[in-house]
Amino acid sequence: MSSELLAPLDLAFWHLESTAHPLHLGALAHFGPVPPDGTPGREPLDLLDLLARRAAAVPRLRMRVRDVLLPVGGAAWSADPDFDVHRHVHEITLPGADFPAETARLAAELMERPVARGLPPWEMYLLSGAPDGSFAVLVKLHHALADGMRAVAIGAGIFDEIAAGRRPARRPRPVPPASWLPGPGRLLGIARERLGDLGRAVEVGASVVGSSVLRAGRLDGPDTALAAESSGTRRVATVTLSLDRVHRVRRGTGGTANDVLLAVVAGALRRWFEGRGLPLPGTDPRALVPVSRRRPGAPPGPGNSLSGYLLDLPVTEPDPAARLASVRHGMDRNKAAGPFRGAGAVALLADRLHPLAHRFGAPLASGAARLLFDLLVTQVPLPRSALSLGGAPLRALFPMAPLARGQSLAVAMSPYGGQVHIGLVADGEAVPDLDALAAALTAELDLLDPPETPDGLPETPDGLPETPDDLQESPDLMTLTS
């Protein structure tokens, strides 16, 4: 696999990372027991060996980051000549008494640790020890390697269905040979490109800065639990909500399932503040809601392709229906303006900066997230089809997002199998009661879920997102194997 330059946004993620602020995505997948083979004399399936073989077969997972001479300040992905999958794939046996709780505890410890930067930046852990033979797999991928959609495509290589149908990997675009003396035509083309990039960067940057200035006066609003200095520790909690119930609320109120889930997060934060015995914040906390710029149904492609919307979560609103209406109105306004406006477009600005700006500006930019938003709320689409590993069915997959500097909570959601699986990642010292927030998410959906129909039966759910805006666009197996 030949070299491939890091896209500007990927380079930004690579340089923004520090020991106390690792920038890897995570996913904790729970599987049922491996079904018995029934073949006499056959050895039990070695899950660790299966994981290692399938991970090693994903070309992207053999790539590491190296510096390049041109462009100055840039970096490229290149195949690790000494790649050894056993440096990345490990097994940990946990006490079986409370296996789900133990996996969340261990996931928090493992999410604290940055991935090794001299190797392909990913790790995978097989978590075993459950009495019934079920198990879990924790995957960590550096954000420079993938955004949410691309992470799904990479991580999905371990599943039976994708591994069986994997197509030969496409060759990445090679790094073009450097020319110290480009011709006049090329010089003119470069100049035009740079002017165009500069104009677009100024336009997006002005929008980002304008929103940030407005935001500066609100910094004392949200509770300090959402804006604590990092302790370098992590807590992880998981929640499962019924997608059927989310769609029932959506059908009764309008909007999208995404709106309903954002309203659930807002209501849960309100409960959490009150449960702490603290007054509600004077201003509503602002969430960054990442938006994929990939076309629905298109192959994920390399690198990150993101923008984002900013949304004031109506924590100060006491009425659940009014909270949902406020979220729906805010998201409709964001969509009308588009992803190139507002502070959420900072990812687009990063795409238009020179590599040197990312290399030397990272220490300054790392603290900018606090000026723009208070927490991250993201959604990661999964394939529509049922998935398995070694024949063991996937029961749940909880995505986990990184924490920005100065922030202490990130919320990530994935719909799968008629459920919405929510992964909460928090600073371990700032949010010691993360389980209370997890319980508040369930309680908040109970407030929004309408009563049963007159015949006592719930409405028939469709169980799947209905529009590209509804929990984003879920990839299918054909897309993932492209």
Side-chain angles (χ1 to χ4, degrees):
M1 199 172 192
S2 58
S3 295
E4 172 192 303
L5 287 174
L6 267 72
L9 185 54
D10 303 343
L11 193 64
F13 286 132
W14 188 250
H15 289 307
L16 283 170
E17 182 176 61
S18 67
T19 302
H21 301 89
L23 281 180
H24 50 257
L25 309 171
L28 180 61
H30 286 271
F31 294 88
V34 175
D37 186 345
T39 304
R42 176 170 291 187
E43 292 291 327
L45 179 65
D46 187 335
L47 284 171
L48 185 65
D49 177 67
L50 180 65
L51 277 175
R53 285 189 285 109
R54 289 187 176 172
V58 179
R60 196 74 179 172
L61 296 183
R62 292 174 169 267
M63 306 294 279
R64 66 177 182 178
V65 176
R66 64 174 178 84
D67 291 337
V68 295
L69 293 177
L70 292 174
V72 178
W77 294 106
S78 63
D80 183 355
D82 301 316
F83 177 77
D84 181 356
V85 71
H86 297 291
R87 294 177 178 176
H88 302 267
V89 180
H90 314 278
E91 181 174 7
I92 300 176
T93 301
L94 298 171
D98 191 355
F99 187 73
E102 287 296 322
T103 57
R105 178 194 60 77
L106 182 60
E109 293 181 7
L110 295 173
M111 288 295 288
E112 292 175 6
R113 310 174 190 172
V115 294
R117 293 174 72 87
L119 300 172
W122 64 275
E123 298 170 0
M124 195 177 294
Y125 295 86
L126 171 63
L127 309 180
S128 58
D132 64 352
S134 60
F135 61 96
V137 175
L138 175 68
V139 180
K140 294 167 56 178
L141 298 171
H142 198 284
H143 211 334
L145 186 65
D147 56 20
M149 182 77 80
R150 183 63 185 171
V152 170
I154 293 173
I158 71 171
F159 293 118
D160 299 334
E161 295 76 13
I162 287 85
R166 182 182 289 122
R167 299 173 181 172
R170 296 178 178 177
R171 293 181 63 85
R173 183 181 302 169
V175 178
S179 173
W180 293 99
L181 295 173
R186 178 58 183 152
L187 282 173
L188 181 59
I190 292 174
R192 286 173 176 169
E193 290 173 5
R194 292 292 178 265
L195 287 173
D197 287 345
L198 179 61
R200 288 187 291 270
V202 169
E203 180 182 356
V204 175
S207 182
V208 171
V209 171
S211 297
S212 303
V213 169
L214 294 175
R215 177 68 178 162
R218 300 162 38 106
L219 291 182
D220 58 351
D223 184 76
T224 54
L226 295 179
E229 290 300 318
S230 174
S231 66
T233 62
R234 295 291 182 269
R235 287 185 183 272
V236 168
T238 60
V239 186
T240 299
L241 302 179
S242 166
L243 187 57
D244 301 346
R245 298 178 66 197
V246 170
H247 279 303
R248 278 212 304 273
V249 176
R250 175 193 57 76
R251 282 190 288 265
T253 61
T256 68
N258 184 28
D259 297 338
V260 176
L261 290 169
L262 288 168
V264 166
V265 172
L269 286 172
R270 179 184 175 90
R271 286 174 175 268
W272 184 55
F273 283 124
E274 292 174 339
R276 285 181 158 220
L278 298 173
L280 292 174
T283 54
D284 288 325
R286 177 172 288 180
L288 173 64
V289 183
V291 177
S292 175
R293 292 187 287 131
R294 304 186 192 280
R295 291 180 299 170
N304 286 271
S305 183
L306 293 171
S307 182
Y309 294 140
L310 292 178
L311 177 71
D312 290 339
L313 295 174
V315 170
T316 56
E317 171 56 58
D319 179 55
R323 283 198 292 269
L324 178 51
S326 175
V327 166
R328 188 169 62 245
H329 175 73
M331 289 301 290
D332 287 346
R333 185 172 61 244
N334 278 329
K335 293 169 189 175
F340 288 83
R341 297 291 179 183
V346 67
L348 297 177
L349 177 61
D351 257 343
R352 288 164 170 78
L353 296 179
H354 190 276
L356 277 175
H358 295 302
R359 185 176 292 270
F360 295 110
L364 296 175
S366 62
R370 182 66 190 95
L371 294 172
L372 303 176
F373 60 96
D374 300 299
L375 73 159
L376 177 73
V377 184
T378 186
Q379 293 170 4
V380 182
L382 292 178
R384 298 182 179 93
S385 305
L387 299 172
S388 61
L389 175 61
L394 176 65
R395 290 176 171 172
L397 189 144
F398 301 98
M400 290 175 282
L403 296 180
R405 183 184 297 273
Q407 298 183 343
S408 56
L409 177 65
V411 182
M413 314 180 196
S414 281
Y416 175 76
Q419 308 288 332
V420 180
H421 304 292
I422 303 176
L424 304 175
V425 177
D427 183 274
E429 291 187 5
V431 190
D433 55 344
L434 189 61
D435 289 340
L437 179 57
L441 288 165
T442 301
E444 188 60 23
L445 181 58
D446 290 339
L447 282 181
L448 290 171
D449 189 29
E452 295 180 337
T453 57
D455 60 3
L457 297 175
E459 297 179 34
T460 301
D462 49 32
L464 289 173
E466 297 185 354
T467 71
D469 288 330
D470 207 13
L471 290 172
Q472 296 188 12
E473 181 73 9
S474 296
D476 54 26
L477 295 182
M478 188 62 71
T479 296
L480 290 174
T481 54
S482 297

